[in-house]
Amino acid sequence: MCGIVGYSGKRDAVGLLTSGLSKLEYRGYDSAGIAVCKADGTVEMVKSKGRLAILEEKLANKGLSGNAGIGHTRWATHGEPSDANSHPHRSGRVTLVHNGIIENYMQLKEELIAEGKVFLSDTDTEVVVALIDRFYEEDPIEAIYKTTAVIRGSYALGVMFDDIPNTIYAIRKDSPLVIGVGKDEVIIASDIPAFLSETRDYYLLDEGELAIVRDGTVSFCDATLAEHKKELLTASWDVEAAEKGGYPHFMLKEMHEQPKTLKDTVFPRIDEAGNILKNELKDTSYIKRIHIVGCGSAMHAGLLGKAFIEKYARVPVSVEIASEFRYANPVLGEGDVIVLISQSGETADSLAVIKLAKELNIPTVGIVNVVGSSIARAADTVIYTNAGPEIAVATTKAYTAQVSVLYLLGLRLAADRGTIGTADYNAIVEALKLLPEAAKKVLENEEHYKELAKEYFEARDMFFIGRGQDSALCCEGSLKLKEISYMHSEAYAAGELKHGTISLISEGVPVVAVATTEAMFEKTVSNIKEVTSRGADVIFVTQFDDVGGFYKDKIALPAIHEAIMPILAIIPLQLFAYYVSIERGCDVDKPRNLAKSVTVE
Ligand code: F6R
C-alpha cells in the first residue's frame, strides 16, 4: 500500500524524505512525489510515475530544498499510475498526501464539482484536499476535523498549508501512521522502517488524534482542540522485521491484513441505498452466460463465484483454467462475458485470454489487484480488489478479496435480474458489512490452528473434502498447503471419494472436512463417517454445532450468512498451511519453484 513520510527539522527535508520513501518501497508503489516548504515559505511539489530514481532525478533538476515536507509512494487504487494521480495533491492553499481509501469520494466529488471545483486527477485523495481547502478559513485544525467528519473510509493524511510554513498536520483512521522523534527533528511515516536509521523513538498516532509537527517538535490534540501528552515508545525491531510490520513473514502479515483488505474491497462498492458496484458496472442486461477464467488460486476464487452467481443470479457460469481456455477453441457468442481474475494482472495465460476475447468481440470484466496492470488495461471493465500489494508468493488476501468481488458481482446480477428476494439480498449485504469483524474473530484463534499444524505436519498426504461451495473452498485450502509446505494434498467433492479416492484413506491419514451450508451438512457428515471408519483423522471445519464423535479435531467458525462463509473458512486453512510449512522448515514466502507473477505460459 501507499507509503507516507513527512519531515520537519533543521536538516534538508528532500534527502530525508526520499531516503524514508526508499525504506517503504517494500510496500509496493507505482509512483512517488514530495512537497517541500521552501525557505521563502512557499510550498513546491515534484511528483512522478515510476520508480523513486525518476523522482530523484526530477528533484535534482529542480534544486528543491527546505526544512519541512511530505512525501508519498503511491500504490494505485483509484486511477491508473500517472504523474497526475501521484501524490501530493494540492487544492487552493492546501497540499496533502494520503494512504487509504475514501469510500464516499464519488458523492463528495459530485458535490464539489457542482460548487465549481475542478479536479485534476482520478483519485479519491483529491476530494480530501479539496474539502480541507473548502473548510479552511482561519483554523487548519478545524478544517481537517470538518473534513474527517464527512469522509468515510480509511486514511492516513499528511497536510501542509501554504500560509503556515514548516508545519505538517497528521491524522489517521484505519491506516497506520507513526511519528519518529529525533534530536530537533520529527519524521512522520506509514511505518517504522522509514525512520529507523535516524531514530528509534516514536509515537503511535491514535485514531482521530491530530499530530502537529512544527520546527522539529510534535504536539497532539483531539477534535476538542485540547492538547495532550503521549507515551514515547522505542522500536526494538531490526529493519527487516520492521518492514514486515513485526511479523516473521509477509504471508503472515498479509493474512492478518484481511479484515482491512476485505473492508477496502467491499465497503466502497455498496452505496448507502444498498446498490452494488454502481460505479463499475453500468449495464448487466446483456449478460446471458459467464466464463470465469484465471489460474491457480484466482481460478479457485472463480469456483466459489460460480456457486454464488448461479444460486442467486441464475446465470450459467463456467470456470476455466486460462492456459486451457486459450487453446480450447471455446464456444463463445452473443450474451457471453469473460470474467478474468488475476492478482498481478500480468499472468501470461490470463492476458492471452483477454486478447482472444477481444479478437472474438466478447466483452471482458477484469477482477484485478494491481491497478494499471496489463489485464486491467486490456479489460473492457475493471473491478479492482483493493487488497494492496501482495508480496508473499502464496496468495491469501488477494484471494479473499477476489471472492468478495465475485459475491458482489453475483448480488448485483441477482438484483438486476430480480432473482433474489429483498430479505435475502439485504441479509447478504449486511453480512458482507460484518465480514471484516468476523475475519478478525477467525484470526484471533490463530494459536489453535498453530497447534493443529504441530499435530499434523509430519503427515505424508492430506485430503480436503466438502460439498458445493465447500468443495470449491477445499481446492484453495489444499493448494495453500501443498504449495508452501510441499506436503502432498488433494481436494475432492466429498461425495466423489467413494468413486476411487477413498482407497487412499487408511489409518491416520488426515482429512480436512468443511461443512458451511445447512443443506449439505448431514451429507458431509456422512462422508466424514465414511473416512473415519477407515481410520482417517478428520479436522472438521464448520460454524454449526454438532454432537461430536465423528472427527478428531474441530475448527469452529463464527456465525455469518452461510453464502459468504467461505471467505471466513479459508482463513484458518491459510494459517494452518502457514504453520505446517513453518514446522516443516520451508521457505514460506518464497516456496521452491514458484514465482509471484507468472509472465510466461
Ligand atoms: C497460489 C497463487 C497462484 C496464483 C496464480 C494466478 O497461492 O498465488 O496460484 O493465484 O498464479 O496469479 P494471478 O492472480 O496473479 O493471475
Side-chain angles (χ1 to χ4, degrees):
M1 276 301 191
C2 308
I4 288 179
V5 182
Y7 175 82
S8 161
K10 293 193 169 22
R11 292 194 273 172
D12 183 39
V14 175
L16 283 145
L17 291 174
T18 50
S19 102
L21 290 176
S22 74
K23 307 283 175 21
L24 298 180
E25 280 189 304
Y26 74 91
R27 295 164 72 89
Y29 72 104
D30 42 53
S31 50
I34 68 170
V36 169
C37 178
K38 297 195 298 184
D40 63 5
T42 56
V43 174
E44 192 167 339
M45 67 184 184
V46 177
K47 48 192 202 170
S48 171
K49 179 184 164 185
R51 311 308 292 172
L52 268 176
I54 304 175
L55 177 73
E56 280 169 323
E57 211 176 290
K58 277 194 179 177
L59 284 164
N61 292 339
K62 276 237 166 189
L64 199 59
S65 80
N67 295 123
I70 47 180
H72 189 267
T73 44
R74 173 172 188 255
W75 199 81
T77 57
H78 294 66
E80 61 175 18
S82 68
D83 286 4
N85 288 335
S86 311
H87 299 215
H89 287 279
R90 265 182 80 79
S91 180
R93 296 154 295 169
V94 187
T95 309
L96 165 148
V97 288
H98 166 222
N99 171 14
I101 288 176
I102 305 304
E103 289 160 16
N104 57 339
Y105 86 102
M106 286 294 284
Q107 177 207 326
L108 295 167
K109 190 169 178 173
E110 276 164 26
E111 286 168 20
L112 288 159
I113 288 172
E115 288 173 15
K117 166 80 193 154
V118 176
F119 284 88
L120 305 173
S121 77
D122 305 319
T123 63
D124 50 342
T125 302
E126 204 183 346
V127 169
V128 185
V129 72
L131 281 171
I132 297 179
D133 184 50
R134 183 175 80 174
F135 290 130
Y136 183 39
E137 284 166 5
E138 277 172 10
D139 186 346
I141 300 179
E142 194 181 86
I144 292 172
Y145 276 117
K146 276 189 174 165
T147 301
T148 56
V150 294
I151 54 176
R152 221 176 44 232
S154 59
Y155 50 83
L157 304 174
V159 193
M160 296 202 299
F161 294 82
D162 281 1
D163 49 351
I164 313 175
N166 290 325
T167 308
I168 304 163
Y169 297 84
I171 192 163
R172 65 174 281 264
K173 178 179 166 278
D174 291 338
S175 284
L177 258 191
V178 280
I179 297 171
V181 182
K183 190 169 169 347
D184 299 326
E185 61 186 9
V186 174
I187 303 173
I188 66 165
S190 306
D191 210 348
I192 291 171
F195 54 68
L196 215 46
S197 56
E198 310 303 324
T199 180
R200 289 186 168 269
D201 295 334
Y202 69 101
Y203 292 108
L204 277 177
L205 193 63
D206 289 326
E207 301 251 316
E209 186 180 40
L210 188 82
I212 303 141
V213 177
R214 180 176 296 141
D215 296 330
T217 64
V218 59
S219 58
F220 299 93
C221 74
D222 58 23
T224 67
L225 308 190
E227 273 199 34
H228 57 263
K229 297 267 172 254
K230 282 180 75 77
E231 187 192 352
L232 189 64
L233 307 168
T234 303
S236 55
W237 295 341
D238 58 26
V239 174
E240 201 206 349
E243 285 183 358
K244 292 174 186 151
Y247 290 100
H249 296 99
F250 281 110
M251 183 179 172
L252 191 59
K253 173 173 174 274
E254 287 159 8
M255 288 187 285
H256 277 271
E257 282 170 357
Q258 289 177 108
K260 177 168 187 317
T261 53
L262 286 166
K263 187 170 178 226
D264 286 346
T265 304
V266 171
F267 284 27
R269 272 58 189 264
I270 306 175
D271 74 9
E272 263 152 26
N275 299 308
I276 290 176
L277 292 169
K278 227 169 83 180
N279 297 330
E280 290 84 352
L281 297 175
K282 300 295 168 231
D283 173 33
T284 70
S285 60
Y286 68 94
I287 301 174
K288 302 281 177 285
R289 198 160 64 122
I290 298 173
H291 306 267
I292 301 182
V293 188
C295 304
S297 296
M299 186 274 289
H300 291 160
L303 295 173
L304 282 172
K306 170 183 166 73
F308 188 96
I309 295 168
E310 290 193 335
K311 178 168 181 185
Y312 290 105
R314 307 305 297 155
V315 178
V317 180
S318 66
V319 181
E320 319 276 356
I321 296 169
S323 56
E324 289 293 311
F325 191 72
R326 63 183 289 194
Y327 295 117
N329 191 12
V331 184
L332 299 165
E334 212 183 311
D336 284 13
V337 61
I338 292 180
V339 175
L340 229 302
I341 308 180
S342 177
Q343 186 285 127
S344 61
E346 300 296 345
T347 303
D349 287 314
S350 303
L351 193 54
V353 170
I354 288 252
K355 288 184 183 151
L356 176 72
K358 286 222 169 309
E359 277 164 28
L360 300 175
N361 227 359
I362 303 295
T364 51
V365 176
I367 298 178
V368 182
N369 198 37
V370 179
V371 176
S373 56
S374 303
I375 293 174
R377 286 201 308 269
D380 298 320
T381 304
V382 189
I383 307 172
Y384 284 112
T385 46
N386 296 331
E390 200 176 54
I391 294 169
V393 165
T395 182
T396 52
K397 61 175 183 169
Y399 167 81
T400 47
Q402 287 161 354
V403 176
S404 69
V405 167
L406 287 162
Y407 288 171
L408 290 168
L409 178 64
L411 277 178
R412 168 66 188 273
L413 293 171
D416 287 356
R417 279 159 184 70
T419 50
I420 188 168
T422 312
D424 272 348
Y425 183 88
N426 290 341
I428 300 175
V429 167
E430 280 317 303
L432 282 166
K433 290 183 184 162
L434 297 173
L435 201 49
E437 282 308 310
K440 270 188 203 157
K441 277 198 195 142
V442 178
L443 287 161
E444 278 163 16
N445 291 330
E446 184 172 351
E447 263 320 294
H448 178 50
Y449 319 138
K450 190 172 173 178
E451 287 309 313
L452 289 174
K454 284 191 176 143
E455 199 178 325
Y456 291 101
F457 78 95
E458 285 171 313
R460 198 191 62 177
D461 315 289
M462 196 170 295
F463 294 89
F464 287 71
I465 60 168
R467 286 169 172 265
Q469 65 183 29
D470 298 325
S471 162
L473 172 73
C474 282
C475 295
E476 179 59 9
S478 169
L479 174 62
K480 227 49 346 164
L481 181 72
K482 64 187 143 197
E483 71 177 325
I484 59 169
S485 77
Y486 319 144
M487 183 190 289
H488 168 246
S489 165
E490 287 180 46
Y492 278 93
E496 182 66 8
L497 278 189
K498 49 181 145 333
H499 299 286
T501 318
I502 203 159
S503 64
L504 296 172
I505 304 294
S506 59
E507 204 56 39
V509 171
V511 175
V512 176
V514 187
T516 66
T517 64
E518 209 171 341
M520 289 295 116
F521 184 82
E522 285 180 359
K523 297 203 181 296
T524 305
V525 168
S526 299
N527 297 134
I528 294 174
K529 288 179 180 165
E530 286 164 10
V531 294
T532 46
S533 62
R534 284 158 181 86
D537 289 339
V538 169
I539 306 171
F540 190 33
V541 184
T542 188
Q543 75 273 35
F544 297 113
D545 292 332
D546 57 71
V547 291
F550 56 92
Y551 51 81
K552 188 160 178 239
D553 291 294
K554 181 169 177 176
I555 292 175
L557 301 168
I560 203 159
H561 195 296
E562 65 174 43
I564 64 163
M565 188 56 99
I567 298 183
L568 292 189
I570 194 61
I571 296 174
L573 302 186
Q574 294 169 341
L575 281 157
F576 176 70
Y578 171 82
Y579 282 111
V580 168
S581 169
I582 297 287
E583 289 296 327
R584 289 164 76 101
C586 302
D587 184 350
V588 179
D589 279 342
K590 293 196 185 73
R592 68 185 178 210
N593 308 337
L594 291 176
K596 183 69 186 159
S597 186
V598 186
T599 51
V600 290
E601 63 170 295

